[in-house]
Amino acid sequence: MTDWLSPQEWTAVALSLKVAFWATLISLPFGIAVALALARGDFPGKQLLNGLVHLPLILPPVVTGYLLLIAFGRQGAIGSLLDEWLGVVLAFRWTGAVLAAAVMAFPLMVRAIRLAIEAVDPKLEQAASTLGANRFWTFVFVTLPLILPGIIAGAILAFAKAMGEFGATITFVANVPGETQTLASAVYAFLQVPGGEASAMRLVVVSIAVAIAALAVSELVATRVARRIAGQ
């Protein structure tokens, strides 16, 4: 692939993989917690939380990116504190691309995990409770193994979504080659210059290959884990 892609194209692909990996890894614990709360919880504001989680799917990605810029930019309410206290700057950095990708992929992750949790028979969890297990250990030893296929599917779908994120990312961190130019923004950049169609097409092929591979791996791993659990 390094011979087929130019250095700039390869840099965009590598950065996209890096951003998608960290976006998925960082958001996964939060995705499991939120999915569990929505599937099993009964608390005031549950519908509000559900709406906020799915809001990135409804809003135009550019709007989401602008909101991130307002909140996490150098002059933003959160961004200014991160810069002052921790020296962390997200806007126009690859770390900001991670945040934007995580926000856009989060609804898909939560939905997949939530469906898996809702498919678990509550009687199994109740049986563990009657045997003396508290809610934490019931989740670890009963619920978690049963929802593992959903977690894997959600994580891989989130990774694929993060790989292709464009609107929120380019609004929040711009399109700086080598720093914030991900695969999708590189395609956009190549289409804006004469003679860039060939480079854009190569990156489109890479995008399609990654998406298909992610879906295939998601199905394969989830099916194997489900069969293993059923066999036990």
Side-chain angles (χ1 to χ4, degrees), residues 2-99:
T2 54
D3 295 332
W4 184 51
L5 300 176
S6 70
Q8 184 180 356
E9 294 163 8
W10 174 245
T11 299
V13 173
L15 180 62
S16 292
L17 292 171
K18 179 181 178 180
V19 167
F21 171 79
W22 284 109
T24 303
L25 185 65
I26 293 172
S27 60
L28 187 57
F30 299 100
I32 295 174
V34 171
L36 185 64
L38 293 176
R40 291 285 189 261
D42 185 13
F43 53 90
K46 179 178 178 179
Q47 293 305 317
L48 176 60
L49 175 61
N50 185 55
L52 290 175
V53 168
H54 291 88
L55 197 59
L57 291 180
I58 303 170
L59 287 175
V62 174
V63 174
T64 301
Y66 182 62
L67 293 175
L68 289 174
L69 186 60
I70 293 175
F72 292 93
R74 281 183 177 271
Q75 305 301 321
I78 302 175
S80 60
L81 295 177
L82 290 175
D83 186 15
E84 180 180 352
W85 292 353
L86 303 176
V88 175
V89 178
L90 296 177
F92 308 108
R93 304 286 178 84
W94 76 270
T95 49
V98 170
L99 176 61

Side-chain angles (χ1 to χ4, degrees), residues 4-231:
W4 184 51
L5 300 176
S6 70
Q8 184 180 356
E9 294 163 8
W10 174 245
T11 299
V13 173
L15 180 62
S16 292
L17 292 171
K18 179 181 178 180
V19 167
F21 171 79
W22 284 109
T24 303
L25 185 65
I26 293 172
S27 60
L28 187 57
F30 299 100
I32 295 174
V34 171
L36 185 64
L38 293 176
R40 291 285 189 261
D42 185 13
F43 53 90
K46 179 178 178 179
Q47 293 305 317
L48 176 60
L49 175 61
N50 185 55
L52 290 175
V53 168
H54 291 88
L55 197 59
L57 291 180
I58 303 170
L59 287 175
V62 174
V63 174
T64 301
Y66 182 62
L67 293 175
L68 289 174
L69 186 60
I70 293 175
F72 292 93
R74 281 183 177 271
Q75 305 301 321
I78 302 175
S80 60
L81 295 177
L82 290 175
D83 186 15
E84 180 180 352
W85 292 353
L86 303 176
V88 175
V89 178
L90 296 177
F92 308 108
R93 304 286 178 84
W94 76 270
T95 49
V98 170
L99 176 61
V103 169
M104 295 302 297
F106 195 69
L108 296 177
M109 177 186 291
V110 171
R111 182 168 180 80
I113 299 174
R114 180 181 179 179
L115 291 175
I117 294 173
E118 291 175 344
V120 175
D121 189 350
K123 294 181 180 179
L124 297 175
E125 299 170 323
Q126 294 171 4
S129 299
T130 59
L131 294 176
N134 58 32
R135 296 182 65 179
F136 174 77
W137 293 115
T138 297
F139 174 77
V140 171
F141 290 109
V142 178
T143 310
L144 186 59
L146 294 175
I147 67 173
L148 190 56
I151 293 176
I152 294 172
I156 295 178
L157 287 175
F159 179 87
K161 172 63 176 176
M163 276 286 296
E165 166 51 31
F166 173 70
T169 301
I170 199 171
T171 305
F172 183 39
V173 298
N175 188 9
V176 182
E179 178 65 29
T180 65
Q181 189 177 76
T182 59
L183 195 153
S185 57
V187 171
Y188 174 80
F190 281 125
L191 290 176
Q192 305 308 305
V193 298
E197 291 82 1
S199 294
M201 179 55 67
R202 285 194 292 268
L203 292 180
V204 166
V205 172
V206 173
S207 300
I208 295 173
V210 171
I212 293 176
L215 291 173
V217 171
S218 174
E219 291 293 330
L220 179 62
V221 174
T223 301
R224 287 188 176 183
V225 172
R227 288 177 179 175
R228 183 176 300 177
I229 293 174

